[in-house]
Amino acid sequence: MTTGLPARAALIALDWGTSSLRAYRLDGAGRTLDTRHLPWGIMRLPQPLQDGAATPSGQSGFELAFEQACGDWLRAEPHLPVIACGMVGSAQGWQEAAYLDVPVDLERIGTLLTRVERNGATPVHIVPGLIQRHGLPNVMRGEETQVFGVLFDQGNDPADSVLIGLPGTHSKWVNARRGQVTHFDTFMTGEVYAALRGHTILGRTMVEAPTSDMAAFERGVKVAGVPAGRAGVLSTIFSTRALGLTGELAGVSQADYLSGLLIGHEICALADMLRLQGELPRIVLCGDDALCQRYIVALRHYGLGTPQLAQHATERGLWHLAVSAGLVPAPSSSETTS
């Protein structure tokens, strides 16, 4: 975190999720000047002191977290607009932002921001989420901003069919074509991994390892593609424990094996869906570098090739949405190339 303000900013952008808050200070070309990471997700906010001496009366946890994230930035440059994405716009967030129905034009997202008034202080503009009503319902909040950032920074033919993978607690696979989000799928791979490791018998024989065992991970990735894997993930996950009991998998390797097994089932299912569609789109991955490398292993194994990697998609998406919404002017060509 930096505290000096040597460069002039144009926008404050917030990625505000369930467990954390990231704040970005961006210049007139959308370049990141400062970044802050705070533990104040919407389910764990700072609380005012009981005597109220240190905080204004009635100030909410959202206001307190907002002040810690960017209060000094706004005092130094009070003209700056603020845009936010993620669970801050959920029913449990600061103010609920609408869901937009898929398929949806990406450009439309920036015209439908929800404005949070702050008693005369700088308002916050919240990005809407997306909802998919056909088939089994599906929703996203925050990932739509990453998709926006990826597509607007790719510079490829907008008619291309693109599949954007967003690995994480709830992995999203988002289909986009001609500037539209057309479909998306959610895999709860990360959350299931954490739950199985921390709250089931599988975790009892796992031992913390100093480094990752990628051979064990790759062994797990391949399970979904073998005959035994056809029984599905509910059948194969117990092999994590059974391989340990038979002496075939050391305790320090079991967590990586389970990670590979779950990611492998996810990518195997994705590959089957793509083959049914009869089309293999260009694939772009966006997320934590180490996790993306694991997904690349699985994508290659199941015949989906090597994806492109997108960097800084959230802050880039927030910037482009702010431009689309008219919160900041579009940069000149000289600004974007300098």
Side-chain angles (χ1 to χ4, degrees), residues 29-114:
R31 294 174 295 232
T32 301
L33 301 174
D34 297 286
T35 302
R36 290 173 175 168
H37 187 195
L38 291 87
W40 306 130
I42 68 159
M43 302 305 289
R44 181 177 177 268
L45 294 166
Q47 298 300 313
L49 297 178
Q50 291 298 313
D51 60 9
T55 59
S57 176
Q59 194 169 39
S60 71
F62 287 103
E63 286 283 0
L64 292 172
F66 182 84
E67 166 62 27
Q68 290 185 33
C70 57
D72 60 330
W73 292 347
L74 282 171
R75 282 188 290 276
E77 298 179 278
H79 65 283
L80 295 179
V82 182
I83 189 170
C85 70
M87 291 298 286
V88 68
S90 70
Q92 296 76 38
W94 200 345
Q95 185 168 312
E96 188 169 8
Y99 283 115
L100 304 184
D101 284 273
V102 171
V104 63
D105 290 328
L106 284 170
E107 290 284 5
R108 185 165 177 258
I109 298 174
T111 67
L112 296 169
L113 306 184
T114 294

Side-chain angles (χ1 to χ4, degrees), residues 253-272:
S253 301
Q254 289 172 21
D256 284 313
Y257 171 83
L258 178 62
S259 170
L261 186 148
L262 293 173
I263 292 173
H265 273 286
E266 176 184 339
I267 300 305
C268 183
L270 179 70
D272 287 343

